[in-house]
Amino acid sequence: MFALFEESGKFQAGRVMSEAESSAQVELASGKRVKVKSANILLKFDKPAPDELIREAQALAPSIELELAWEFAPEEEFGFADLARDYFSDKASLAQQAAALFRLFDAPHYFRRSGKGRFRKAPAEILQQALVAIEKKKQVQAQITGWAEELAAGQCPAAIREQLYRILFKPDKNAPEYKAVVEAARATQLSPLALLQRAGAITSAYQFHYKRFLFENFPKGYAFPPLSAPEIKDDLPVAPVQAFSIDDSSTTEIDDALSVQGLGTGEVVVGVHIAAPGLALQPGAPLDGVARQRLSTVYMPGFKITMLPDDVVQAYTLQEGVECPSVSLYATFDEATLALKATETRLERVPITINLRHDLLDAAVTEEWLTASHPGDGHPVAALHPQLAFLHRLALQLKAQREIVRGKPENFNRPDYNFRLAGNNGAEPTGEERVEITIRRRGAPLDLIVAEAMILANSTWGSWLAELGVPAIYRSQASLAPGVKVRMGTKALPHAGIGVKSYAWTTSPLRRYTDLVNQWQVIAAARHGRTAALAAPFKPKDAELFSIISAFDAAYTAYNGHQATMERYWTLKYLQQQGIGEIVGTQFKDGLVRADDIPLVLPVLGGAGLPRGAHVRVKLGDIDLITLDVKGTVVERLDLPAEPLDAEDEGEEEAVAGPIAIAVDVNETEDSSAVTGDNSGS
């Protein structure tokens, strides 16, 4: 005897080997034996063979007209065999009964399941709604098929072009646009990205990377709502200093300036003056909401998306010729020994005499010039020679003191790079501009002066807030051991990488939200001293601070990642524009080379067996501006001394291109049919 039974929504048939009161042992065609509940057995028969019955029933089932079967069906609950006798004849065959079972089971919009092999026909109004939905689904499927055919033919439907970034990175996997891409990718055996490129959905590699970033981080665009800069109401004294800033020519958010007083008196007072939007912007105000949403300015070659609207930035930036509201740190040093004797924080207006631009001055402000007794006639900053010379001497001393704490010197082996897009003038790039890449030596005098001054301010204010019990957002690093990363938190912990006992970002409040938050806390400390913890906007263990840290960490990581992506794009574009087919570089890891003169790291073949630090000539392969990939082959080892590398080089994460992570999965399977033969072998 054979039996047809239902198990987990699938129909199977086999030989009955034994039968008890509530179950039976059934052997499938594969030889596998299964235990089947008696309630799940729907038909028992002696012939035909189980597989033959299922094949015949499956072929017959589509011929059953559902509309007619629905009309035949009684209003009360009925069995599939009852309907088969009403539809075919009162002597319906086993195949006809099984066909009725399969057809009823697959038409829940016409017939609701009431149990094993039992059904009840759907009410007329519910059926009508279901039929409308089914027709709509057919139309959607037809649209999916049509779009997929267009994609396969190398054309991109407008609907898919408009949804490109959502399809690739944050898809609704039930959306017809997504399904069309999957269907076309399967049909053409192309990856979704290659398919869309071929179809013309991606016409610009630059726009692909840029718009992907906007989609993920600025889905509503980056335009600001109409907001004005609130006035600073404090009656601030004017500082008796002549301050100057040092920034790149493209910098509009000038956060910091320096001043020097008392040269030749034995005690020199160095002023670090920070723009003070925190004196006007208040937590919870509309402008604060904008800044907190963005959390930082986004930088990329030739363009930036600012944290604050430009007119707000210009209201608080340290512009030359203006007495600018500032939070000032005054540090008093012994002029001979450079020992730090005292620090003081003031809220004041600081006269900014000049905005220096280091990219225009690095070649003129050298170590030799700074140590010369006379600045020389016609030097562009001759009037500032005494101040810059002292600041450079102080910066070297501060750096040396930090390196003692670090336990080893800071590594300035590699340069920084400046990107300039010719004729861009700060407008949103198209990706086709001519790019210029120039080297900026890390640790150049002006760079060192600014860096050490900012470290002095960030570490001094961080420690001061901790002493007063005023919470702040700190950056810390437990050690320089490989894998120990910099972390953000609310505790004043040592920063091993910098070599200070605490470090709180406070010197870029126009560009980073953490600095603005910390500036509010510093302002409270300057106003209230020992009672500042009671007056500061953020109190100890304030949950808001932890929320800000979490959001900032995520945003800052995304923004830095985008900057690295766009710098790699423009580096590869530079290779194309200059027709560069070979580079000279240093193999710093097995299979990885860092170019000597451009910011490029790439995987190479042919470098096996070469020591770390070996100089090599590399022939470049094809450049892919979508994946930002270029590979190389070592063609020559150069007879140059190996570059010294330390553990920091080996542990540092490098910008090497890899597969773009998209969210389109062409391997997702559709729901399998509910009616099967023996599937035990699958």
Side-chain angles (χ1 to χ4, degrees), residues 310-546:
D310 186 63
D311 57 344
V312 174
V313 170
Q314 295 311 311
Y316 308 122
T317 191
L318 301 184
Q319 184 66 41
E320 67 181 27
V322 179
E323 294 177 350
C324 300
S326 304
V327 180
S328 297
L329 173 69
Y330 289 99
T332 302
F333 294 92
D334 184 285
E335 190 169 9
T337 66
L338 299 179
L340 178 62
K341 302 177 75 173
T343 59
E344 181 184 2
T345 299
R346 300 179 195 164
L347 309 179
E348 58 190 3
R349 291 186 180 272
V350 175
I352 307 297
T353 58
I354 188 170
N355 296 136
L356 301 179
R357 303 299 183 176
H358 64 70
D359 53 315
L360 304 178
L361 292 172
D362 275 344
V365 181
T366 62
E367 289 91 340
E368 293 76 16
W369 180 78
L370 289 166
T371 55
S373 58
H374 190 274
D377 297 331
H379 193 278
V381 286
L384 290 175
H385 181 267
Q387 295 95 320
L388 291 173
F390 178 82
L391 288 173
H392 185 246
R393 186 165 70 94
L394 176 63
L396 291 171
Q397 172 73 1
L398 294 175
K399 180 174 179 288
Q401 291 173 346
R402 290 191 301 101
E403 288 176 340
I404 292 173
V405 178
R406 287 182 89 243
K408 61 180 177 179
E410 288 182 316
N411 182 7
F412 286 156
N413 288 341
R414 281 179 275 146
D416 285 331
Y417 294 90
N418 294 323
F419 292 79
R420 180 178 175 273
L421 306 186
N424 172 254
N425 297 322
E428 194 174 281
T430 65
E432 296 303 319
E433 291 83 355
R434 191 108 183 138
V435 60
E436 300 170 4
I437 301 177
T438 55
I439 294 176
R440 178 184 170 207
R441 183 168 61 88
R442 295 172 75 182
L446 290 177
D447 182 75
L448 183 65
I449 287 171
V450 174
E452 291 301 328
M454 297 310 109
I455 292 172
L456 175 66
N458 288 331
S459 59
T460 300
W461 276 332
S463 296
W464 186 45
L465 291 176
E467 290 169 7
L468 295 176
V470 177
I473 298 174
Y474 292 90
R475 292 175 67 79
S476 63
Q477 186 178 17
S479 77
L480 289 178
V484 179
K485 296 184 177 181
V486 175
R487 301 190 179 278
M488 300 183 72
T490 58
K491 293 183 179 180
L493 300 173
H495 194 306
I498 298 177
V500 293
K501 66 178 183 179
S502 66
Y503 193 76
W505 266 346
T506 55
T507 54
S508 296
L510 296 174
R511 296 183 277 183
R512 284 193 304 244
Y513 190 67
T514 50
D515 298 54
L516 179 59
V517 168
N518 283 339
Q519 186 174 86
W520 283 323
Q521 304 297 83
V522 171
I523 289 171
R527 285 173 172 166
H528 302 283
R530 290 292 174 187
T531 61
L534 300 174
F538 298 95
K539 305 298 189 286
K541 297 183 180 179
D542 196 324
E544 282 292 288
L545 282 180
F546 295 101

Side-chain angles (χ1 to χ4, degrees), residues 22 33 133 152 182 193 252 285 291 294 307 314 372 476 563 608 660:
S22 60
R33 294 190 179 187
V182 171
L193 208 54
T252 56
R294 298 197 175 198
M307 183 179 78
Q314 295 311 311
S476 63
Q563 181 176 356
I660 294 178

Side-chain angles (χ1 to χ4, degrees), residues 181 184-186 188-197 662 664 666:
V181 171
R186 287 173 176 165
T188 59
Q189 298 294 301
L190 292 172
S191 71
L193 208 54
L195 171 77
L196 292 165
Q197 278 183 267
I662 62 174
V664 181
V666 298

Side-chain angles (χ1 to χ4, degrees), residues 487-615:
R487 301 190 179 278
M488 300 183 72
T490 58
K491 293 183 179 180
L493 300 173
H495 194 306
I498 298 177
V500 293
K501 66 178 183 179
S502 66
Y503 193 76
W505 266 346
T506 55
T507 54
S508 296
L510 296 174
R511 296 183 277 183
R512 284 193 304 244
Y513 190 67
T514 50
D515 298 54
L516 179 59
V517 168
N518 283 339
Q519 186 174 86
W520 283 323
Q521 304 297 83
V522 171
I523 289 171
R527 285 173 172 166
H528 302 283
R530 290 292 174 187
T531 61
L534 300 174
F538 298 95
K539 305 298 189 286
K541 297 183 180 179
D542 196 324
E544 282 292 288
L545 282 180
F546 295 101
S547 175
I548 291 167
I549 289 171
S550 176
F552 179 85
D553 241 348
Y556 206 60
T557 299
Y559 296 173
N560 284 339
H562 176 65
Q563 181 176 356
T565 293
M566 303 318 288
E567 287 181 355
R568 188 170 180 91
Y569 170 87
W570 285 113
T571 300
L572 297 179
K573 195 73 173 175
Y574 176 82
L575 293 175
Q576 291 181 335
Q577 291 174 352
Q578 300 296 324
I580 297 173
E582 288 187 348
I583 62 161
V584 173
T586 303
Q587 179 163 295
F588 67 99
K589 289 183 183 177
D590 188 24
L592 286 178
V593 166
R594 182 188 300 112
D596 286 350
D597 300 321
I598 55 174
L600 178 66
V601 170
L602 72 161
V604 297
L605 297 174
L610 294 179
R612 290 180 65 235
H615 282 81

